[in-house]
Each structure stands twice: as C-alpha cells, then as structure tokens.
PDB file of all heavy atoms in Angstrom:
ATOM      1  N   ASN A   1       0.845  -1.193   0.002  1.00  0.00           N
ATOM      2  CA  ASN A   1       0.007  -0.007   0.006  1.00  0.00           C
ATOM      3  C   ASN A   1       0.871   1.239   0.005  1.00  0.00           C
ATOM      4  O   ASN A   1       1.924   1.243   0.638  1.00  0.00           O
ATOM      5  CB  ASN A   1      -0.931   0.006   1.228  1.00  0.00           C
ATOM      6  CG  ASN A   1      -2.041  -0.992   1.114  1.00  0.00           C
ATOM      7  OD1 ASN A   1      -1.893  -2.145   1.506  1.00  0.00           O
ATOM      8  ND2 ASN A   1      -3.190  -0.549   0.581  1.00  0.00           N
ATOM      9  N   TYR A   2       0.429   2.261  -0.680  1.00  0.00           N
ATOM     10  CA  TYR A   2       1.194   3.497  -0.837  1.00  0.00           C
ATOM     11  C   TYR A   2       0.377   4.718  -0.470  1.00  0.00           C
ATOM     12  O   TYR A   2      -0.848   4.750  -0.647  1.00  0.00           O
ATOM     13  CB  TYR A   2       1.667   3.671  -2.287  1.00  0.00           C
ATOM     14  CG  TYR A   2       2.558   2.583  -2.797  1.00  0.00           C
ATOM     15  CD1 TYR A   2       2.032   1.457  -3.389  1.00  0.00           C
ATOM     16  CD2 TYR A   2       3.929   2.696  -2.686  1.00  0.00           C
ATOM     17  CE1 TYR A   2       2.854   0.445  -3.857  1.00  0.00           C
ATOM     18  CE2 TYR A   2       4.773   1.710  -3.169  1.00  0.00           C
ATOM     19  CZ  TYR A   2       4.217   0.572  -3.769  1.00  0.00           C
ATOM     20  OH  TYR A   2       5.047  -0.423  -4.245  1.00  0.00           O
ATOM     21  N   ALA A   3       1.080   5.735   0.007  1.00  0.00           N
ATOM     22  CA  ALA A   3       0.445   7.035   0.161  1.00  0.00           C
ATOM     23  C   ALA A   3       0.115   7.597  -1.219  1.00  0.00           C
ATOM     24  O   ALA A   3       0.847   7.341  -2.189  1.00  0.00           O
ATOM     25  CB  ALA A   3       1.378   7.986   0.893  1.00  0.00           C
ATOM     26  N   ASP A   4      -0.975   8.330  -1.321  1.00  0.00           N
ATOM     27  CA  ASP A   4      -1.375   8.872  -2.603  1.00  0.00           C
ATOM     28  C   ASP A   4      -0.292   9.750  -3.217  1.00  0.00           C
ATOM     29  O   ASP A   4      -0.136   9.777  -4.452  1.00  0.00           O
ATOM     30  CB  ASP A   4      -2.662   9.694  -2.452  1.00  0.00           C
ATOM     31  CG  ASP A   4      -3.905   8.840  -2.225  1.00  0.00           C
ATOM     32  OD1 ASP A   4      -3.855   7.632  -2.530  1.00  0.00           O
ATOM     33  OD2 ASP A   4      -4.902   9.388  -1.736  1.00  0.00           O
ATOM     34  N   SER A   5       0.452  10.434  -2.396  1.00  0.00           N
ATOM     35  CA  SER A   5       1.470  11.345  -2.896  1.00  0.00           C
ATOM     36  C   SER A   5       2.641  10.676  -3.603  1.00  0.00           C
ATOM     37  O   SER A   5       3.366  11.331  -4.334  1.00  0.00           O
ATOM     38  CB  SER A   5       2.022  12.189  -1.743  1.00  0.00           C
ATOM     39  OG  SER A   5       2.604  11.393  -0.733  1.00  0.00           O
ATOM     40  N   VAL A   6       2.821   9.356  -3.385  1.00  0.00           N
ATOM     41  CA  VAL A   6       3.959   8.652  -4.004  1.00  0.00           C
ATOM     42  C   VAL A   6       3.543   7.576  -4.977  1.00  0.00           C
ATOM     43  O   VAL A   6       4.398   6.981  -5.626  1.00  0.00           O
ATOM     44  CB  VAL A   6       4.871   8.039  -2.941  1.00  0.00           C
ATOM     45  CG1 VAL A   6       5.316   9.111  -1.915  1.00  0.00           C
ATOM     46  CG2 VAL A   6       4.217   6.880  -2.231  1.00  0.00           C
ATOM     47  N   LYS A   7       2.262   7.328  -5.126  1.00  0.00           N
ATOM     48  CA  LYS A   7       1.773   6.306  -6.062  1.00  0.00           C
ATOM     49  C   LYS A   7       2.252   6.616  -7.472  1.00  0.00           C
ATOM     50  O   LYS A   7       2.160   7.738  -7.954  1.00  0.00           O
ATOM     51  CB  LYS A   7       0.249   6.224  -6.028  1.00  0.00           C
ATOM     52  CG  LYS A   7      -0.314   5.516  -4.806  1.00  0.00           C
ATOM     53  CD  LYS A   7      -1.828   5.448  -4.860  1.00  0.00           C
ATOM     54  CE  LYS A   7      -2.380   4.709  -3.641  1.00  0.00           C
ATOM     55  NZ  LYS A   7      -3.859   4.693  -3.642  1.00  0.00           N
ATOM     56  N   GLY A   8       2.746   5.580  -8.134  1.00  0.00           N
ATOM     57  CA  GLY A   8       3.255   5.734  -9.474  1.00  0.00           C
ATOM     58  C   GLY A   8       4.699   6.155  -9.556  1.00  0.00           C
ATOM     59  O   GLY A   8       5.295   6.107 -10.646  1.00  0.00           O
ATOM     60  N   ARG A   9       5.270   6.609  -8.429  1.00  0.00           N
ATOM     61  CA  ARG A   9       6.669   7.046  -8.421  1.00  0.00           C
ATOM     62  C   ARG A   9       7.547   6.154  -7.561  1.00  0.00           C
ATOM     63  O   ARG A   9       8.732   5.933  -7.888  1.00  0.00           O
ATOM     64  CB  ARG A   9       6.752   8.477  -7.922  1.00  0.00           C
ATOM     65  CG  ARG A   9       6.027   9.484  -8.788  1.00  0.00           C
ATOM     66  CD  ARG A   9       6.327  10.923  -8.336  1.00  0.00           C
ATOM     67  NE  ARG A   9       5.882  11.180  -6.979  1.00  0.00           N
ATOM     68  CZ  ARG A   9       6.685  11.545  -5.977  1.00  0.00           C
ATOM     69  NH1 ARG A   9       7.994  11.725  -6.207  1.00  0.00           N
ATOM     70  NH2 ARG A   9       6.191  11.801  -4.767  1.00  0.00           N
ATOM     71  N   PHE A  10       7.010   5.673  -6.444  1.00  0.00           N
ATOM     72  CA  PHE A  10       7.770   4.844  -5.512  1.00  0.00           C
ATOM     73  C   PHE A  10       7.333   3.400  -5.611  1.00  0.00           C
ATOM     74  O   PHE A  10       6.141   3.112  -5.849  1.00  0.00           O
ATOM     75  CB  PHE A  10       7.567   5.335  -4.060  1.00  0.00           C
ATOM     76  CG  PHE A  10       8.183   6.669  -3.729  1.00  0.00           C
ATOM     77  CD1 PHE A  10       8.672   7.507  -4.732  1.00  0.00           C
ATOM     78  CD2 PHE A  10       8.208   7.076  -2.434  1.00  0.00           C
ATOM     79  CE1 PHE A  10       9.226   8.733  -4.401  1.00  0.00           C
ATOM     80  CE2 PHE A  10       8.754   8.308  -2.095  1.00  0.00           C
ATOM     81  CZ  PHE A  10       9.262   9.136  -3.084  1.00  0.00           C
ATOM     82  N   THR A  11       8.244   2.498  -5.346  1.00  0.00           N
ATOM     83  CA  THR A  11       7.937   1.060  -5.320  1.00  0.00           C
ATOM     84  C   THR A  11       8.591   0.449  -4.088  1.00  0.00           C
ATOM     85  O   THR A  11       9.803   0.578  -3.890  1.00  0.00           O
ATOM     86  CB  THR A  11       8.439   0.344  -6.591  1.00  0.00           C
ATOM     87  OG1 THR A  11       7.833   0.932  -7.744  1.00  0.00           O
ATOM     88  CG2 THR A  11       8.050  -1.131  -6.525  1.00  0.00           C
ATOM     89  N   ILE A  12       7.782  -0.205  -3.274  1.00  0.00           N
ATOM     90  CA  ILE A  12       8.300  -0.912  -2.122  1.00  0.00           C
ATOM     91  C   ILE A  12       8.413  -2.410  -2.462  1.00  0.00           C
ATOM     92  O   ILE A  12       7.566  -2.958  -3.163  1.00  0.00           O
ATOM     93  CB  ILE A  12       7.425  -0.698  -0.865  1.00  0.00           C
ATOM     94  CG1 ILE A  12       8.100  -1.252   0.372  1.00  0.00           C
ATOM     95  CG2 ILE A  12       6.031  -1.294  -1.044  1.00  0.00           C
ATOM     96  CD1 ILE A  12       7.416  -0.842   1.668  1.00  0.00           C
ATOM     97  N   SER A  13       9.465  -3.024  -1.983  1.00  0.00           N
ATOM     98  CA  SER A  13       9.654  -4.463  -2.201  1.00  0.00           C
ATOM     99  C   SER A  13      10.385  -5.022  -1.008  1.00  0.00           C
ATOM    100  O   SER A  13      10.911  -4.294  -0.156  1.00  0.00           O
ATOM    101  CB  SER A  13      10.438  -4.725  -3.486  1.00  0.00           C
ATOM    102  OG  SER A  13      11.709  -4.142  -3.438  1.00  0.00           O
ATOM    103  N   ARG A  14      10.422  -6.359  -0.881  1.00  0.00           N
ATOM    104  CA  ARG A  14      11.124  -6.966   0.207  1.00  0.00           C
ATOM    105  C   ARG A  14      11.729  -8.316  -0.217  1.00  0.00           C
ATOM    106  O   ARG A  14      11.233  -8.960  -1.146  1.00  0.00           O
ATOM    107  CB  ARG A  14      10.199  -7.151   1.422  1.00  0.00           C
ATOM    108  CG  ARG A  14       9.011  -8.109   1.211  1.00  0.00           C
ATOM    109  CD  ARG A  14       8.075  -8.041   2.397  1.00  0.00           C
ATOM    110  NE  ARG A  14       8.667  -8.646   3.574  1.00  0.00           N
ATOM    111  CZ  ARG A  14       8.169  -8.545   4.842  1.00  0.00           C
ATOM    112  NH1 ARG A  14       7.049  -7.824   5.030  1.00  0.00           N
ATOM    113  NH2 ARG A  14       8.782  -9.142   5.843  1.00  0.00           N
ATOM    114  N   ASP A  15      12.780  -8.679   0.466  1.00  0.00           N
ATOM    115  CA  ASP A  15      13.433  -9.939   0.283  1.00  0.00           C
ATOM    116  C   ASP A  15      13.377 -10.649   1.637  1.00  0.00           C
ATOM    117  O   ASP A  15      14.110 -10.340   2.551  1.00  0.00           O
ATOM    118  CB  ASP A  15      14.874  -9.749  -0.171  1.00  0.00           C
ATOM    119  CG  ASP A  15      15.566 -11.071  -0.506  1.00  0.00           C
ATOM    120  OD1 ASP A  15      15.184 -12.127   0.052  1.00  0.00           O
ATOM    121  OD2 ASP A  15      16.504 -11.054  -1.323  1.00  0.00           O
ATOM    122  N   ASN A  16      12.439 -11.571   1.765  1.00  0.00           N
ATOM    123  CA  ASN A  16      12.229 -12.225   3.043  1.00  0.00           C
ATOM    124  C   ASN A  16      13.445 -13.036   3.490  1.00  0.00           C
ATOM    125  O   ASN A  16      13.703 -13.165   4.676  1.00  0.00           O
ATOM    126  CB  ASN A  16      10.995 -13.127   2.978  1.00  0.00           C
ATOM    127  CG  ASN A  16       9.698 -12.342   2.879  1.00  0.00           C
ATOM    128  OD1 ASN A  16       9.631 -11.194   3.322  1.00  0.00           O
ATOM    129  ND2 ASN A  16       8.681 -12.951   2.290  1.00  0.00           N
ATOM    130  N   ALA A  17      14.156 -13.631   2.537  1.00  0.00           N
ATOM    131  CA  ALA A  17      15.344 -14.408   2.874  1.00  0.00           C
ATOM    132  C   ALA A  17      16.417 -13.529   3.491  1.00  0.00           C
ATOM    133  O   ALA A  17      17.199 -13.994   4.341  1.00  0.00           O
ATOM    134  CB  ALA A  17      15.887 -15.130   1.653  1.00  0.00           C
ATOM    135  N   LYS A  18      16.476 -12.262   3.093  1.00  0.00           N
ATOM    136  CA  LYS A  18      17.475 -11.326   3.612  1.00  0.00           C
ATOM    137  C   LYS A  18      16.933 -10.438   4.710  1.00  0.00           C
ATOM    138  O   LYS A  18      17.672  -9.617   5.247  1.00  0.00           O
ATOM    139  CB  LYS A  18      18.020 -10.455   2.484  1.00  0.00           C
ATOM    140  CG  LYS A  18      18.768 -11.208   1.403  1.00  0.00           C
ATOM    141  CD  LYS A  18      19.285 -10.258   0.330  1.00  0.00           C
ATOM    142  CE  LYS A  18      20.062 -10.984  -0.732  1.00  0.00           C
ATOM    143  NZ  LYS A  18      20.547 -10.048  -1.797  1.00  0.00           N
ATOM    144  N   ASN A  19      15.643 -10.576   5.017  1.00  0.00           N
ATOM    145  CA  ASN A  19      14.996  -9.732   6.014  1.00  0.00           C
ATOM    146  C   ASN A  19      15.233  -8.247   5.679  1.00  0.00           C
ATOM    147  O   ASN A  19      15.573  -7.447   6.553  1.00  0.00           O
ATOM    148  CB  ASN A  19      15.498 -10.041   7.418  1.00  0.00           C
ATOM    149  CG  ASN A  19      15.084 -11.407   7.906  1.00  0.00           C
ATOM    150  OD1 ASN A  19      13.917 -11.800   7.721  1.00  0.00           O
ATOM    151  ND2 ASN A  19      15.980 -12.120   8.536  1.00  0.00           N
ATOM    152  N   THR A  20      15.039  -7.915   4.426  1.00  0.00           N
ATOM    153  CA  THR A  20      15.338  -6.567   3.950  1.00  0.00           C
ATOM    154  C   THR A  20      14.156  -6.007   3.159  1.00  0.00           C
ATOM    155  O   THR A  20      13.521  -6.717   2.382  1.00  0.00           O
ATOM    156  CB  THR A  20      16.579  -6.567   3.063  1.00  0.00           C
ATOM    157  OG1 THR A  20      17.695  -7.067   3.824  1.00  0.00           O
ATOM    158  CG2 THR A  20      16.906  -5.182   2.556  1.00  0.00           C
ATOM    159  N   VAL A  21      13.878  -4.735   3.370  1.00  0.00           N
ATOM    160  CA  VAL A  21      12.863  -4.040   2.615  1.00  0.00           C
ATOM    161  C   VAL A  21      13.517  -2.901   1.846  1.00  0.00           C
ATOM    162  O   VAL A  21      14.483  -2.299   2.326  1.00  0.00           O
ATOM    163  CB  VAL A  21      11.709  -3.516   3.547  1.00  0.00           C
ATOM    164  CG1 VAL A  21      12.258  -2.463   4.519  1.00  0.00           C
ATOM    165  CG2 VAL A  21      10.571  -2.965   2.732  1.00  0.00           C
ATOM    166  N   TYR A  22      12.995  -2.619   0.665  1.00  0.00           N
ATOM    167  CA  TYR A  22      13.555  -1.587  -0.208  1.00  0.00           C
ATOM    168  C   TYR A  22      12.484  -0.582  -0.570  1.00  0.00           C
ATOM    169  O   TYR A  22      11.286  -0.878  -0.603  1.00  0.00           O
ATOM    170  CB  TYR A  22      14.114  -2.201  -1.479  1.00  0.00           C
ATOM    171  CG  TYR A  22      15.088  -3.333  -1.276  1.00  0.00           C
ATOM    172  CD1 TYR A  22      14.661  -4.661  -1.230  1.00  0.00           C
ATOM    173  CD2 TYR A  22      16.447  -3.074  -1.107  1.00  0.00           C
ATOM    174  CE1 TYR A  22      15.545  -5.693  -1.022  1.00  0.00           C
ATOM    175  CE2 TYR A  22      17.337  -4.099  -0.893  1.00  0.00           C
ATOM    176  CZ  TYR A  22      16.905  -5.413  -0.864  1.00  0.00           C
ATOM    177  OH  TYR A  22      17.794  -6.435  -0.667  1.00  0.00           O
ATOM    178  N   LEU A  23      12.928   0.619  -0.878  1.00  0.00           N
ATOM    179  CA  LEU A  23      12.045   1.629  -1.409  1.00  0.00           C
ATOM    180  C   LEU A  23      12.722   2.270  -2.598  1.00  0.00           C
ATOM    181  O   LEU A  23      13.715   3.023  -2.441  1.00  0.00           O
ATOM    182  CB  LEU A  23      11.695   2.681  -0.369  1.00  0.00           C
ATOM    183  CG  LEU A  23      10.672   3.733  -0.804  1.00  0.00           C
ATOM    184  CD1 LEU A  23       9.301   3.067  -0.998  1.00  0.00           C
ATOM    185  CD2 LEU A  23      10.578   4.874   0.197  1.00  0.00           C
ATOM    186  N   GLN A  24      12.249   1.963  -3.802  1.00  0.00           N
ATOM    187  CA  GLN A  24      12.763   2.578  -5.013  1.00  0.00           C
ATOM    188  C   GLN A  24      11.980   3.867  -5.249  1.00  0.00           C
ATOM    189  O   GLN A  24      10.758   3.831  -5.413  1.00  0.00           O
ATOM    190  CB  GLN A  24      12.608   1.640  -6.209  1.00  0.00           C
ATOM    191  CG  GLN A  24      13.070   2.223  -7.531  1.00  0.00           C
ATOM    192  CD  GLN A  24      14.571   2.455  -7.547  1.00  0.00           C
ATOM    193  OE1 GLN A  24      15.329   1.585  -7.144  1.00  0.00           O
ATOM    194  NE2 GLN A  24      14.995   3.621  -8.009  1.00  0.00           N
ATOM    195  N   MET A  25      12.680   4.985  -5.261  1.00  0.00           N
ATOM    196  CA  MET A  25      12.044   6.283  -5.398  1.00  0.00           C
ATOM    197  C   MET A  25      12.477   6.904  -6.722  1.00  0.00           C
ATOM    198  O   MET A  25      13.655   7.204  -6.917  1.00  0.00           O
ATOM    199  CB  MET A  25      12.423   7.207  -4.235  1.00  0.00           C
ATOM    200  CG  MET A  25      12.080   6.627  -2.860  1.00  0.00           C
ATOM    201  SD  MET A  25      12.425   7.785  -1.516  1.00  0.00           S
ATOM    202  CE  MET A  25      14.206   7.858  -1.599  1.00  0.00           C
ATOM    203  N   ASN A  26      11.522   7.084  -7.620  1.00  0.00           N
ATOM    204  CA  ASN A  26      11.770   7.692  -8.916  1.00  0.00           C
ATOM    205  C   ASN A  26      11.033   9.007  -9.036  1.00  0.00           C
ATOM    206  O   ASN A  26      10.092   9.291  -8.291  1.00  0.00           O
ATOM    207  CB  ASN A  26      11.325   6.752 -10.061  1.00  0.00           C
ATOM    208  CG  ASN A  26      12.078   5.449 -10.045  1.00  0.00           C
ATOM    209  OD1 ASN A  26      13.258   5.378  -9.726  1.00  0.00           O
ATOM    210  ND2 ASN A  26      11.403   4.363 -10.458  1.00  0.00           N
ATOM    211  N   SER A  27      11.422   9.801 -10.005  1.00  0.00           N
ATOM    212  CA  SER A  27      10.798  11.093 -10.263  1.00  0.00           C
ATOM    213  C   SER A  27      10.659  11.904  -8.967  1.00  0.00           C
ATOM    214  O   SER A  27       9.597  12.442  -8.653  1.00  0.00           O
ATOM    215  CB  SER A  27       9.410  10.889 -10.905  1.00  0.00           C
ATOM    216  OG  SER A  27       9.529  10.171 -12.111  1.00  0.00           O
ATOM    217  N   LEU A  28      11.732  12.014  -8.251  1.00  0.00           N
ATOM    218  CA  LEU A  28      11.702  12.675  -6.946  1.00  0.00           C
ATOM    219  C   LEU A  28      11.390  14.159  -7.070  1.00  0.00           C
ATOM    220  O   LEU A  28      11.806  14.809  -8.052  1.00  0.00           O
ATOM    221  CB  LEU A  28      13.028  12.466  -6.224  1.00  0.00           C
ATOM    222  CG  LEU A  28      13.189  11.093  -5.586  1.00  0.00           C
ATOM    223  CD1 LEU A  28      14.652  10.783  -5.285  1.00  0.00           C
ATOM    224  CD2 LEU A  28      12.354  10.988  -4.319  1.00  0.00           C
ATOM    225  N   LYS A  29      10.666  14.660  -6.102  1.00  0.00           N
ATOM    226  CA  LYS A  29      10.278  16.058  -6.043  1.00  0.00           C
ATOM    227  C   LYS A  29      10.843  16.687  -4.792  1.00  0.00           C
ATOM    228  O   LYS A  29      11.084  16.014  -3.808  1.00  0.00           O
ATOM    229  CB  LYS A  29       8.750  16.176  -6.038  1.00  0.00           C
ATOM    230  CG  LYS A  29       8.038  15.492  -7.175  1.00  0.00           C
ATOM    231  CD  LYS A  29       6.524  15.541  -6.986  1.00  0.00           C
ATOM    232  CE  LYS A  29       5.798  14.828  -8.104  1.00  0.00           C
ATOM    233  NZ  LYS A  29       4.323  14.854  -7.900  1.00  0.00           N
ATOM    234  N   PRO A  30      11.009  18.021  -4.784  1.00  0.00           N
ATOM    235  CA  PRO A  30      11.506  18.679  -3.579  1.00  0.00           C
ATOM    236  C   PRO A  30      10.646  18.363  -2.355  1.00  0.00           C
ATOM    237  O   PRO A  30      11.156  18.294  -1.237  1.00  0.00           O
ATOM    238  CB  PRO A  30      11.443  20.162  -3.946  1.00  0.00           C
ATOM    239  CG  PRO A  30      11.676  20.169  -5.415  1.00  0.00           C
ATOM    240  CD  PRO A  30      10.953  18.954  -5.918  1.00  0.00           C
ATOM    241  N   GLU A  31       9.337  18.188  -2.532  1.00  0.00           N
ATOM    242  CA  GLU A  31       8.464  17.900  -1.413  1.00  0.00           C
ATOM    243  C   GLU A  31       8.656  16.495  -0.843  1.00  0.00           C
ATOM    244  O   GLU A  31       8.074  16.151   0.183  1.00  0.00           O
ATOM    245  CB  GLU A  31       6.985  18.100  -1.794  1.00  0.00           C
ATOM    246  CG  GLU A  31       6.584  17.442  -3.101  1.00  0.00           C
ATOM    247  CD  GLU A  31       6.599  18.413  -4.282  1.00  0.00           C
ATOM    248  OE1 GLU A  31       7.594  19.163  -4.431  1.00  0.00           O
ATOM    249  OE2 GLU A  31       5.633  18.415  -5.066  1.00  0.00           O
ATOM    250  N   ASP A  32       9.460  15.670  -1.502  1.00  0.00           N
ATOM    251  CA  ASP A  32       9.830  14.375  -0.954  1.00  0.00           C
ATOM    252  C   ASP A  32      10.934  14.473   0.080  1.00  0.00           C
ATOM    253  O   ASP A  32      11.271  13.495   0.728  1.00  0.00           O
ATOM    254  CB  ASP A  32      10.283  13.418  -2.064  1.00  0.00           C
ATOM    255  CG  ASP A  32       9.159  13.061  -3.007  1.00  0.00           C
ATOM    256  OD1 ASP A  32       8.026  12.820  -2.559  1.00  0.00           O
ATOM    257  OD2 ASP A  32       9.438  13.019  -4.229  1.00  0.00           O
ATOM    258  N   THR A  33      11.522  15.658   0.215  1.00  0.00           N
ATOM    259  CA  THR A  33      12.602  15.858   1.179  1.00  0.00           C
ATOM    260  C   THR A  33      12.118  15.588   2.595  1.00  0.00           C
ATOM    261  O   THR A  33      11.128  16.154   3.043  1.00  0.00           O
ATOM    262  CB  THR A  33      13.147  17.294   1.093  1.00  0.00           C
ATOM    263  OG1 THR A  33      13.743  17.480  -0.200  1.00  0.00           O
ATOM    264  CG2 THR A  33      14.185  17.545   2.157  1.00  0.00           C
ATOM    265  N   ALA A  34      12.783  14.684   3.285  1.00  0.00           N
ATOM    266  CA  ALA A  34      12.396  14.276   4.629  1.00  0.00           C
ATOM    267  C   ALA A  34      13.400  13.280   5.169  1.00  0.00           C
ATOM    268  O   ALA A  34      14.275  12.795   4.439  1.00  0.00           O
ATOM    269  CB  ALA A  34      11.004  13.641   4.609  1.00  0.00           C
ATOM    270  N   VAL A  35      13.275  12.998   6.440  1.00  0.00           N
ATOM    271  CA  VAL A  35      13.972  11.858   7.021  1.00  0.00           C
ATOM    272  C   VAL A  35      13.056  10.659   6.850  1.00  0.00           C
ATOM    273  O   VAL A  35      11.895  10.674   7.250  1.00  0.00           O
ATOM    274  CB  VAL A  35      14.295  12.056   8.522  1.00  0.00           C
ATOM    275  CG1 VAL A  35      14.955  10.820   9.087  1.00  0.00           C
ATOM    276  CG2 VAL A  35      15.217  13.287   8.698  1.00  0.00           C
ATOM    277  N   TYR A  36      13.571   9.598   6.246  1.00  0.00           N
ATOM    278  CA  TYR A  36      12.822   8.404   5.993  1.00  0.00           C
ATOM    279  C   TYR A  36      13.165   7.334   7.003  1.00  0.00           C
ATOM    280  O   TYR A  36      14.346   7.038   7.238  1.00  0.00           O
ATOM    281  CB  TYR A  36      13.110   7.879   4.587  1.00  0.00           C
ATOM    282  CG  TYR A  36      12.421   8.684   3.516  1.00  0.00           C
ATOM    283  CD1 TYR A  36      12.829   9.990   3.228  1.00  0.00           C
ATOM    284  CD2 TYR A  36      11.360   8.146   2.781  1.00  0.00           C
ATOM    285  CE1 TYR A  36      12.177  10.746   2.258  1.00  0.00           C
ATOM    286  CE2 TYR A  36      10.703   8.887   1.799  1.00  0.00           C
ATOM    287  CZ  TYR A  36      11.125  10.191   1.545  1.00  0.00           C
ATOM    288  OH  TYR A  36      10.473  10.916   0.592  1.00  0.00           O
ATOM    289  N   TYR A  37      12.148   6.766   7.628  1.00  0.00           N
ATOM    290  CA  TYR A  37      12.295   5.789   8.690  1.00  0.00           C
ATOM    291  C   TYR A  37      11.765   4.444   8.256  1.00  0.00           C
ATOM    292  O   TYR A  37      10.653   4.344   7.721  1.00  0.00           O
ATOM    293  CB  TYR A  37      11.562   6.219   9.946  1.00  0.00           C
ATOM    294  CG  TYR A  37      12.087   7.488  10.556  1.00  0.00           C
ATOM    295  CD1 TYR A  37      11.559   8.715  10.215  1.00  0.00           C
ATOM    296  CD2 TYR A  37      13.102   7.443  11.524  1.00  0.00           C
ATOM    297  CE1 TYR A  37      12.050   9.887  10.804  1.00  0.00           C
ATOM    298  CE2 TYR A  37      13.558   8.607  12.112  1.00  0.00           C
ATOM    299  CZ  TYR A  37      13.043   9.828  11.742  1.00  0.00           C
ATOM    300  OH  TYR A  37      13.521  10.973  12.312  1.00  0.00           O
ATOM    301  N   CYS A  38      12.510   3.406   8.521  1.00  0.00           N
ATOM    302  CA  CYS A  38      12.062   2.037   8.311  1.00  0.00           C
ATOM    303  C   CYS A  38      11.274   1.556   9.509  1.00  0.00           C
ATOM    304  O   CYS A  38      11.617   1.891  10.659  1.00  0.00           O
ATOM    305  CB  CYS A  38      13.290   1.135   8.076  1.00  0.00           C
ATOM    306  SG  CYS A  38      12.901  -0.583   7.776  1.00  0.00           S
ATOM    307  N   ASN A  39      10.226   0.797   9.262  1.00  0.00           N
ATOM    308  CA  ASN A  39       9.386   0.292  10.333  1.00  0.00           C
ATOM    309  C   ASN A  39       9.098  -1.186  10.130  1.00  0.00           C
ATOM    310  O   ASN A  39       8.918  -1.636   8.991  1.00  0.00           O
ATOM    311  CB  ASN A  39       8.062   1.088  10.359  1.00  0.00           C
ATOM    312  CG  ASN A  39       7.032   0.498  11.295  1.00  0.00           C
ATOM    313  OD1 ASN A  39       6.015  -0.055  10.872  1.00  0.00           O
ATOM    314  ND2 ASN A  39       7.274   0.641  12.580  1.00  0.00           N
ATOM    315  N   LEU A  40       9.043  -1.910  11.216  1.00  0.00           N
ATOM    316  CA  LEU A  40       8.639  -3.324  11.162  1.00  0.00           C
ATOM    317  C   LEU A  40       7.644  -3.588  12.292  1.00  0.00           C
ATOM    318  O   LEU A  40       7.912  -3.237  13.450  1.00  0.00           O
ATOM    319  CB  LEU A  40       9.856  -4.252  11.314  1.00  0.00           C
ATOM    320  CG  LEU A  40       9.593  -5.751  11.188  1.00  0.00           C
ATOM    321  CD1 LEU A  40      10.819  -6.463  10.624  1.00  0.00           C
ATOM    322  CD2 LEU A  40       9.214  -6.381  12.537  1.00  0.00           C
ATOM    323  N   VAL A  41       6.545  -4.177  11.951  1.00  0.00           N
ATOM    324  CA  VAL A  41       5.562  -4.610  12.920  1.00  0.00           C
ATOM    325  C   VAL A  41       5.488  -6.114  12.833  1.00  0.00           C
ATOM    326  O   VAL A  41       5.165  -6.683  11.787  1.00  0.00           O
ATOM    327  CB  VAL A  41       4.158  -3.989  12.653  1.00  0.00           C
ATOM    328  CG1 VAL A  41       3.164  -4.502  13.677  1.00  0.00           C
ATOM    329  CG2 VAL A  41       4.244  -2.477  12.685  1.00  0.00           C
TER     330      VAL A  41
END
C-alpha cells in the first residue's frame, strides 16, 4: 500500500530471505525531502 502522494513514483519491495525491505524512489520532487524511517511490525 502507498500514500497517494507517492503512487506511481515509488515502489516498495522486500526480500524475506534477507529480512530486507527496499524503497525505489523515482521522479523525486523537492516535497519528498524528509527523514525516511524504516518500520517493522
């Protein structure tokens, strides 16, 4: 699931074997500027 503001530009994926999550961010905009935090529940 994605926030509306990033749909079509960002792609989240994961590798369960590596316990790793990725965020591919394309067509970045100045309003994307932020500290990005990883979360696991």
Side-chain angles (χ1 to χ4, degrees):
N1 288 87
Y2 299 89
D4 288 340
S5 60
V6 306
K7 285 181 179 177
R9 299 188 298 120
F10 291 10
T11 301
I12 189 169
S13 61
R14 64 188 291 168
D15 186 333
N16 290 333
K18 296 180 179 179
N19 293 316
T20 300
V21 64
Y22 307 92
L23 185 68
Q24 179 66 46
M25 304 185 292
N26 298 325
S27 302
L28 283 161
K29 305 174 181 179
E31 49 262 47
D32 294 318
T33 295
V35 177
Y36 284 70
Y37 296 91
C38 181
N39 172 251
L40 184 150
V41 179

